[in-house]
Amino acid sequence: MRLVTLTLNPAIDQTVALDALNPGSVHRARSVWADAGGKGVNVACCLADWGLPVSVTGVLGQDNAAPFAQLLAAKGIDDRFVRIPGETRTNLKLLDAASGDTTDINLPGLEFGPSTVEAVWAVLVDLTGPGSLAVLAGSLPRSLGPDAYARLTAELKRRGTRVVLDASGPALAAALAAGRDGLPDAIKPNRHELEEWAKRPLPTFADVLDAARECQRAGVALVCVSLGAEGALFVASEGALRALPPPTRVASTVGAGDALVAGLVAGLHDDLSLPDLARRALAFAAGKLSRTGANLPGRAEVEAIAAEICVEEIS
């Protein structure tokens, strides 16, 4: 099975570690580092750490593309990004060392026209087809309409490609409003993103479950809702499960959701049962929490984490 991730709005993530984040105060940073990233890039990095061959595409600014090229080469990832003039955006992440929480400040990305979109589509056509799996992840540039993922999903599915979508807001709403033949095969919203789509608060687990089941009944084969420290919810035709992580030392929460998506993809790649897929997905996320950047521990450690994950069937 060929795996490819799409990142239309990548970023260099500059993380500043603080003793504690106190809004309105002057802070002295413990440390600072930068990671080439973006959701699809992060997913690909975790898949590569697991040992799966993966290709990446999307749009990079050629003026600061070197960190991406270096990262992808180091991970052995097939770099199929389209380069255009300009700089890829830099996002700021403030890591509160006391709580492990991260505050994100995301900047606007590159803007580009139809010719760049056509170039990216040409790469996707080359990389996908029957039996392949594509991950469409992250925010959309302002130059693209909110239906961009919906249109790409429909085209990819016509090519026999399964699609995993990790998007939010209008982009997610547009994708889920597509006809049944154009819906993504799997989605991974968090609670807030699911609330945005449902247009109502989801304060309880039962509320989250109801909204996830709405998505699944609409035609999305697998719905995974990330719930942070409360684990994740998995809803599919064979049932609903809640997976709870073991106690985990948190080095950084940055990219944990992307690792969860990578675990889903790795599980789909191996055609795992829903309980085993839930364990693998959550083990990827928990393993990444112990690392900074989009990095997994070794396969044996991830498998050990998976064995400790409690999976509860929901009637």
Side-chain angles (χ1 to χ4, degrees):
M1 178 189 297
R2 190 153 195 182
L3 304 177
V4 56
T5 73
L6 173 70
T7 311
L8 290 170
N9 206 13
I12 295 174
D13 293 328
Q14 186 170 48
T15 303
V16 180
L18 307 170
D19 290 329
L21 178 61
N22 299 304
S25 301
V26 175
H27 298 78
R28 293 186 183 277
R30 277 187 174 188
S31 59
V32 60
W33 66 90
D35 298 297
K39 284 186 171 295
V41 173
N42 295 343
V43 170
C45 286
C46 292
L47 289 171
D49 285 349
W50 182 248
L52 291 175
V54 58
S55 302
V56 291
T57 189
V59 182
L60 288 177
Q62 62 190 22
D63 296 352
N64 61 346
F68 292 90
Q70 292 163 4
L71 170 68
L72 299 174
K75 295 271 189 180
I77 296 169
D78 178 29
D79 179 2
R80 303 290 294 274
F81 269 104
V82 173
R83 269 81 166 167
I84 64 173
E87 289 192 354
T88 302
R89 64 183 176 147
T90 296
N91 290 338
L92 185 62
K93 297 182 178 294
L94 304 177
L95 172 61
D96 185 327
S99 66
D101 293 333
T102 302
T103 299
D104 295 344
I105 302 172
N106 293 339
L107 302 184
L110 285 164
E111 297 195 18
F112 47 84
S115 62
T116 301
V117 176
E118 290 171 8
V120 172
W121 175 245
V123 174
L124 284 171
V125 167
D126 184 51
L127 293 173
T128 61
S132 59
L133 195 155
V135 179
L136 313 183
S139 60
L140 292 169
R142 292 180 298 186
S143 52
L144 295 181
D147 65 341
Y149 280 144
R151 290 186 285 108
L152 282 170
T153 297
E155 292 291 339
L156 287 165
K157 294 196 72 172
R158 276 193 282 272
R159 294 180 51 76
T161 299
R162 286 192 291 173
V163 176
V164 176
L165 177 66
D166 185 9
S168 60
L172 176 61
L176 295 184
R180 184 172 283 263
D181 292 340
L183 287 169
D185 297 274
I187 59 173
K188 192 232 47 86
N190 59 30
R191 186 196 296 261
H192 174 68
E193 291 163 349
L194 192 60
E195 287 176 332
E196 281 189 308
W197 172 78
K199 295 183 172 59
R200 64 181 186 272
L202 304 172
T204 69
F205 181 77
D207 295 325
V208 174
L209 176 61
D210 286 344
R213 281 179 164 154
E214 287 177 34
C215 294
Q216 195 272 326
R217 285 193 295 266
V220 179
L222 174 62
V223 179
C224 171
V225 185
S226 55
L227 300 170
E230 299 175 58
L233 167 67
F234 298 80
V235 178
S237 59
E238 54 264 58
L241 304 172
R242 183 176 187 175
L244 300 169
T248 303
R249 180 185 67 83
V250 177
S252 170
T253 58
V254 175
D258 305 328
L260 186 66
V261 174
L264 283 178
V265 172
L268 293 171
H269 177 274
D270 291 347
D271 198 26
L272 297 182
S273 66
L274 187 61
D276 287 341
L277 183 146
R279 290 187 183 93
R280 179 170 294 178
L282 208 58
F284 269 48
K288 182 261 129 347
L289 288 174
S290 67
R291 302 289 194 273
T292 59
N295 300 296
L296 291 186
R299 182 183 276 251
E301 185 173 338
V302 174
E303 290 174 340
I305 295 171
E308 295 183 40
I309 287 171
C310 174
V311 174
E312 302 172 346
E313 185 173 347
I314 301 167
S315 60

